């Protein structure tokens, strides 16, 4: 092999591509990829034909005899895939060998564009949670769950692309055009606060967004300040309830008689005064 040792770095959930060049004259030899160091390396996959791909589980291997290089891919990388590997050529005696150090980094974003997100809403309202995801996951089943990644209990799943799914107070839509999962929780309650997750179902580790939902207590309605209209107090009750209340006379005849009598008396008085005055003159 042209290099005795190489280091490759990949991210959890992605594909690692390992390239091991070899020298002139080894084109027709069988190549292999193994796990561990030279002395105790356990073969994982071998080339079976020149210039063709060989597949086994998550491994692929191609012997490119034109460019004189062995190409190995490990798909859906996992944290436990980190370690020592080797590219070898089967020959009589000591095999030409390249030691490969593979490092797998923890995925901060694995399929989902946000590793975590926080949503805050008020009791009684509707919470809208949006989880964008990356290219290539449009056809995968998505889900919304309660809890953290390791113990998340699925609440609802997509049943079709670009359509809404409903269950109790939860609704979910997979918008494949904009590549985002939309979840709504209606009639929010204080006990709805907590940790949730948006996930994509696939072999291996699911791409996942941790969701923190905060629910604020609804404010109390203000007290009414409208004043009642004032009412006049009723007249005091009389002691003797049998005595009728005084009333104004509405008898026209009595009124007219009183007025005529007053005029007649005045006329008589005037005549008497006139008669006395004439006697004095005589």
């Amino acid at each position: 092999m042209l290099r005795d040792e190489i280091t490759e770095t990949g991210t959890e959930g992605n594909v690692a591509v390992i390239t091991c060049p070899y020298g002139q004259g080894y084109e027709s030899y069988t190549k292999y990829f193994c796990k561990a160091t030279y002395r105790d390396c356990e073969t994982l996959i071998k080339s079976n034909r020149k210039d063709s791909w060989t597949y086994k589980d998550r491994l692929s291997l191609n012997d490119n005899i034109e460019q004189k290089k062995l190409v190995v891919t490990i798909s859906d990388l996992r944290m436990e895939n980190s370690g020592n590997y080797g590219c070898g050529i089967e020959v009589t005696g000591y095999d030409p060998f390249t030691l490969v150090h593979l490092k797998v980094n923890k995925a901060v974003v694995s399929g989902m564009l946000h590793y975590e997100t926080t949503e805050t809403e008020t009791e009684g309202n509707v919470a809208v949670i949006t989880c964008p995801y990356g290219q290539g996951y449009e056809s995968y089943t998505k889900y919304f769950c309660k809890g953290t990644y390791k113990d998340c209990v699925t609440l609802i799943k997509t049943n079709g692309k670009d359509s809404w799914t409903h269950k109790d107070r939860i609704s979910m839509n997979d918008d494949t055009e904009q590549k985002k999962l939309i979840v709504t929780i209606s009639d929010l309650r204080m006990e709805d606060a907590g940790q949730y997750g948006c996930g994509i179902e696939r072999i291996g580790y699911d791409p996942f967004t941790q969701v923190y939902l905060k629910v604020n207590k609804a404010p109390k309605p203000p007290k009414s300040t409208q004043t009642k209209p004032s009412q006049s107090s009723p007249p005091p009750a009389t002691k003797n309830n049998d005595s009728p209340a005084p009333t104004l006379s509405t008898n026209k005849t009595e009124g007219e008689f009183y007025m005529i009598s007053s005029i007649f008396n005045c006329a008589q008085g005037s005549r008497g005064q006139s008669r006395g005055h004439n006697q004095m003159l005589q």
Side-chain angles (χ1 to χ4, degrees):
M1 309 297 281
L2 294 183
R3 285 186 285 178
D4 294 330
E5 191 170 338
I6 60 174
T7 299
E8 294 292 339
T9 303
T11 303
E12 182 185 21
N14 289 351
V15 177
V17 180
I18 300 163
T19 303
C20 301
Y22 56 82
Q24 185 74 29
Y26 289 103
E27 292 88 344
S28 61
Y29 286 74
T30 298
K31 319 300 189 303
Y32 60 88
F33 184 71
C34 60
K35 172 74 172 171
T37 56
Y38 182 83
R39 289 177 180 247
D40 55 356
C41 210
E42 179 185 351
T43 300
L44 300 175
I45 189 171
K46 281 186 179 183
S47 60
N48 55 13
R49 283 188 300 170
K50 310 303 177 284
D51 293 318
S52 66
W53 284 93
T54 305
Y55 302 93
K56 186 179 180 182
D57 300 327
R58 293 184 293 119
L59 294 172
S60 301
L61 180 144
N62 175 254
D63 181 11
N64 188 328
I65 59 176
E66 184 178 343
Q67 298 185 25
K68 299 178 182 62
K69 64 181 181 181
L70 186 66
V71 181
V72 180
T73 67
I74 306 175
S75 62
D76 188 23
L77 274 178
R78 303 169 186 176
M79 296 300 294
E80 56 265 28
N81 294 146
S82 294
N84 293 321
Y85 296 83
C87 298
I89 303 175
E90 287 186 349
V91 298
T92 303
Y94 289 101
D95 292 352
F97 190 86
T98 296
L99 182 61
V100 179
H101 302 285
L102 177 61
K103 296 180 180 179
V104 180
N105 296 324
K106 181 71 178 174
V108 176
V109 176
S110 179
M112 310 301 285
L113 295 185
H114 300 302
Y115 177 65
E116 60 181 45
T117 182
T118 300
E119 295 294 336
T120 304
E121 195 44 81
T122 304
E123 180 186 22
N125 289 352
V126 177
V128 180
I129 299 163
T130 303
C131 300
Y133 55 84
Q135 183 76 27
Y137 289 100
E138 292 87 344
S139 62
Y140 286 68
T141 298
K142 320 297 189 308
Y143 59 89
F144 184 70
C145 59
K146 172 76 170 172
T148 57
Y149 182 82
K150 290 188 176 182
D151 57 354
C152 216
V153 179
T154 300
L155 301 175
I156 190 171
K157 281 187 180 183
T158 54
N159 57 11
K161 312 303 175 289
D162 296 313
S163 64
W164 283 92
T165 306
H166 306 278
K167 186 177 180 182
D168 300 327
R169 295 183 293 120
I170 301 175
S171 299
M172 184 171 70
N173 174 253
D174 180 12
D175 188 336
T176 58
E177 184 176 343
Q178 298 189 31
K179 298 177 185 63
K180 63 182 179 181
L181 189 66
I182 303 170
V183 181
T184 67
I185 305 175
S186 61
D187 186 24
L188 271 181
R189 301 165 188 177
M190 296 302 295
E191 57 267 27
D192 291 331
Q195 296 185 28
Y196 296 83
C198 300
I200 302 175
E201 284 188 350
R202 69 169 191 181
I203 298 172
Y205 288 97
D206 291 354
F208 191 84
T209 295
Q210 187 73 60
V211 179
Y212 300 95
L213 177 61
K214 298 179 180 179
V215 181
N216 294 328
K217 185 73 176 174
K220 293 182 180 180
K223 293 182 179 180
S224 176
T225 56
Q226 185 178 0
T227 57
K228 295 182 180 180
S230 59
Q231 296 180 350
S232 57
S233 55
T238 56
K239 291 182 180 180
N240 187 359
N241 292 331
D242 296 335
S243 300
T247 57
L248 294 175
S249 173
T250 56
N251 192 329
K252 268 183 92 178
T253 306
E254 289 181 5
E256 289 177 353
F257 176 77
Y258 176 78
M259 291 176 66
I260 292 171
S261 299
S262 299
I263 294 171
F264 179 76
N265 291 335
C266 289
Q268 281 187 335
S270 299
R271 287 177 184 172
Q273 289 179 359
S274 176
R275 187 181 300 144
H277 179 70
N278 291 335
Q279 289 177 355
M280 289 178 65
L281 289 175
Q282 291 175 359

